[in-house]
Amino acid sequence: MNTNNPEIKVNYQMNYPAGAAILQEGATGDCAYIIEKGLVEISVLREDEKIVLAVLSEGDIFGEMALVSGDVRSASAHALTPTSLSVICRPYFQEKLAQTDPIIAMLMKLLLERFHEARSKLLSMSKVCLLDLKPKKRDSDLTAVNTSQRETLERFKFINELQSALDRQELVLHYQPIYLLATGILVGFEALIRWNHPLKGNIPPSQFIDIAEDTKDIIPIGYWIFETACNDLKKMHNSLDGQTNPTLPWMSINISPVQIKDANLVGRFAEILSRCGVKPSAIKLELTEHVLVEDPKQALLFIHNVKQLGMKVAIDDFGTGYSSLSYLHMFPFDILKIDNTFVANIISDGRSQGIVNAIVALSKNLNIDIVAEGIENEALAAVLLDLGCRYGQGYAYSRPLPVEEATQFLQSHAG
Ligand code: C2E
Ligand code: CA
Ligand code: CA
């Protein structure tokens, strides 16, 4: 998968059959490898004779100097058995290094450079000295990979899999209906992503969106989400063709903070909307407070631009952040989504009810519509309606549904 910036390729997986050369002494290199599976022999050639320096196994790293210096390889590596490797590329490493504490980054560079110097000196020694360098068998060579190595390896594997999930068509959108509480008419859907992992089954977004944001894969994934949701909305609208004066539902789409840093975002959204034949006013983009806190200026510009195009903007998970109320004045939101946590407590806890009351009053003043999330039963819906919430979604009405079921649902619930 391509990230938006081709320079920042995160990492990927490579498989080698037994006997294959992975890297050659003297060749240039710009990535390191973590062994996921298999055995790798590290060797140098001296006076036409191969000297084996080490045999590495699962969890071991090699080729690491290239990450720092990009120097030529000081040894060769061959797969002894069928081998899977996670490849860590230099731009990724450098980006991560730039983000870390500068003292830690400096120390790490220094240590790696010193290690490199020492190793270069040793490698330039005679064959006899090199033979002495051959590692004595340590217990740790034989024991299983330790827990933190295993966790690192797992995370690498997960990132690799996530990067190919889009190409392998393992990502799907489900759509949760949104209702006008007073009439029970279906007025919109929220697009919610799911990952159908071939081995792990259905992985919820809470387990991979953060990682996709970290690796910036949320940028291509986000375009896929937007385009899929627009296409599906168009199909849903078309499915109502035979009905008299149907309420055409809107589509709410979650936008992550990383996406709005992408300078092409709004232009590409406009292009996708026109390609799919969807009116911008049928799309509501949901932003959480993270977007607003991270870079208020950029968030304001983004909101301004998408509204200029005709899309609507919602503040999501309202009430979970630190200064939500002030954001209502600072940013021109069309919709406010009250977080599940308030909604769940509204019957048992007078304070939650008080907070919702205040939010509703303020929103009315500012001409902002309210959607209550996480309505799990009818009693909650009744209280929310009483408090003045206009729209709602939750398991009481429907869980998020695959597109075919959502379309059928729409046909029976549209006004
Ligand atoms: P969110 O935007 O607040 O989405 C609402 C979450 O509440 C969804 O969880 C939905 O399935 C769940 N939900 C709906 N009705 C009920 C209910 O009655 N009770 C309870 N307890 N929960 C309910 P989901 O699908 O697991 O998504 C979790 C979060 O992952 C979302 O929270 C959103 O922040 C993120 N996410 C999901 N899809 C996307 C996406 O396409 N893009 C981005 N950037 N983030 C997404
Ligand atoms: Ca949302
Ligand atoms: Ca929410």
Side-chain angles (χ1 to χ4, degrees), residues 173 176 190-194 204-206 209 213 218 225 254-256 259 286 316-317 340 373-376 394-396 400:
L173 291 184
Q176 184 171 40
E190 178 174 4
L192 295 159
I193 195 165
R194 273 93 186 84
S206 55
I209 289 288
E213 288 176 347
I218 194 66
I225 292 169
N254 293 286
I255 301 291
S256 113
Q259 284 176 273
E286 299 196 356
D316 202 358
D317 302 340
N340 291 2
E373 298 187 289
I375 305 178
E376 293 194 354
Y395 300 158

Side-chain angles (χ1 to χ4, degrees), residues 18 160 189 236 276 323 403:
N160 280 338
F189 286 99
M236 290 177 187
C276 299
S323 46
V403 60

